[in-house]
Amino acid sequence: MKRLYTALLAAGLGLGTVVAAPSAAAAPTQCQYVARDLPIPAGARGAEVVASSSDDKLLVGEVYGDPELQAVVWRNGEIYQVMKSPYPPRMTPRGINKNGVIVGWMDDLRSYTAYRQLIGRYFKLHTQPGDHSIATAVNDNGDIAGAVFPIDGPDVRTAVVWERDKPGYTVVGPGQPVLVTNDRKVLTNEGLLFDLNTKTSVSLGVREPFSLDNGRIFGWGFGSIPEWNTSGQVVARYDQGVQGLGVNNHNTLFGSFGPSTVNPGLWRNGTWTAIQADKLPMAWGYGDISDDEVITGNYRTANGDRVAAQWFCAP
């Protein structure tokens, strides 16, 4: 999951001017959101959304409460697929594309091995002997980003990509990828944006968390959220923002704002407004918003469990 670092960004963006945020389409009036829990498989105690496809039609969640249940895929708010496997290994999902390819890693209590899964079949990704491997993201072309690191040794991770229809993997650099775009750009937790087509890279100047939605990359900051295009250029900043999670085609951004307290909110017409809801979505980790402004994410229960849900604007 993405983590919110507490260190200040300092001058890492290296910009001399502030770029205005994109103008938003006409926004609906402020409403009271109502949370609707996503259904969970029989036998599970709960599930947490961890990723969605680029077209927002598929969601993948990690299931807890039953060691034989590994993950669940929702389509249009209903259970579409449930993944099971003997325990161990434990399958941990971390990404899904619009073709239903799921990526993550399997844990047999001795090592981690990256996998891709399609139509219920698991395929291990190439991993050198003596290494762990994990997959963290997949694009719609089938390129899979992840990391390798030694089984017996320090946890020093190397970012790699299992490119579609190519043997082995391509080394990106130090760190761990957090996203891979459809135009084959890989972004690491260190802020390195690597182009698989040209094998060149640029630094965004900041570390994770990052979010990718509709081909737009969002970062975090205390008082200003930066947005980059997939060439690594800053195209907007969102004042009073803390972390951007998801954006729709009307330029409504879902994320968190502050700075005194961090709250979930929506950016419309250049202004953040706090979300009013019976259960507030988490303001970090995974989150998204559809074109009709349905919010998808997770909330915490009183005992600390995370619950996958969608938020609908009550009439």
Side-chain angles (χ1 to χ4, degrees):
M1 297 298 293
K2 299 171 186 174
R3 297 179 298 277
L4 185 63
Y5 286 83
T6 55
L8 294 176
L9 292 180
L13 291 175
L15 290 178
T17 59
V18 174
V19 183
S23 60
T29 58
Q30 183 69 12
C31 69
Q32 175 74 24
Y33 274 93
V34 176
R36 183 184 303 168
D37 293 357
L38 288 167
I40 59 176
R45 191 177 79 248
E48 173 188 1
V49 185
V50 296
S52 59
S53 59
S54 62
D55 58 7
D56 299 325
K57 292 182 178 180
L58 297 174
L59 303 170
V60 63
E62 189 170 7
V63 176
Y64 55 89
D66 185 332
E68 291 187 358
L69 296 174
Q70 309 300 311
V72 58
V73 177
W74 295 277
R75 185 181 180 91
N76 299 324
E78 300 296 333
I79 293 177
Y80 177 68
Q81 183 182 4
V82 177
M83 283 157 280
K84 298 182 179 181
S85 70
Y87 181 79
R90 173 74 189 177
M91 306 294 184
T92 300
R94 277 299 175 267
I96 188 170
N97 69 13
K98 69 177 184 179
N99 302 311
V101 176
I102 299 167
V103 300
W105 61 86
M106 54 184 69
D107 174 9
D108 63 3
L109 304 182
R110 297 183 301 274
S111 63
Y112 302 108
T113 304
Y115 72 80
R116 66 186 291 271
Q117 188 267 121
L118 180 63
I119 317 177
R121 296 186 62 192
Y122 291 91
F123 302 88
K124 293 182 179 181
L125 300 178
H126 171 76
T127 306
Q128 296 284 2
D131 279 351
H132 294 294
S133 64
I134 60 174
T136 53
V138 58
N139 64 17
D140 290 336
N141 304 314
D143 301 310
I144 300 169
V148 296
F149 50 105
I151 294 176
D152 297 319
D155 185 8
V156 178
R157 305 198 174 199
T158 299
V160 301
V161 178
W162 291 272
E163 296 185 62
R164 181 178 176 178
D165 299 329
K166 287 186 65 174
Y169 52 68
T170 300
V171 174
V172 171
Q176 178 173 305
V178 293
L179 60 88
V180 55
T181 68
N182 285 337
D183 59 353
R184 292 168 47 83
K185 308 292 178 60
V186 182
L187 181 60
T188 74
N189 61 334
E190 302 286 344
L192 183 72
L193 187 65
F194 182 85
D195 190 329
L196 286 166
N197 298 310
T198 64
K199 302 298 187 291
T200 58
S201 62
V202 296
S203 175
L204 301 189
V206 294
R207 290 178 54 90
E208 68 173 340
F210 299 104
S211 298
L212 172 70
D213 199 13
N214 288 333
R216 298 160 67 175
I217 300 171
F218 298 92
W220 75 281
F222 287 111
S224 178
I225 296 173
E227 178 189 340
W228 298 268
N229 60 24
T230 59
S231 296
Q233 300 168 320
V234 174
V235 294
R237 280 184 178 167
Y238 299 80
D239 291 339
Q240 300 181 27
V242 176
Q243 183 179 354
L245 297 178
V247 67
N248 64 20
N249 286 320
H250 305 307
N251 286 327
T252 299
L253 178 67
F254 166 49
S256 53
F257 72 101
S260 57
T261 60
V262 179
N263 302 295
L266 299 176
W267 180 288
R268 300 189 185 105
N269 294 323
T271 302
W272 278 99
T273 56
I275 291 173
Q276 306 294 326
D278 55 336
K279 301 167 185 174
L280 287 176
M282 292 173 59
W284 60 92
Y286 169 82
D288 202 1
I289 183 168
S290 68
D291 287 347
D292 53 359
E293 303 219 352
V294 174
I295 296 169
T296 302
N298 304 285
Y299 69 87
R300 283 190 183 275
T301 64
N303 62 9
D305 286 340
R306 299 186 182 190
V307 179
Q310 292 183 307
W311 282 259
F312 298 83
C313 186

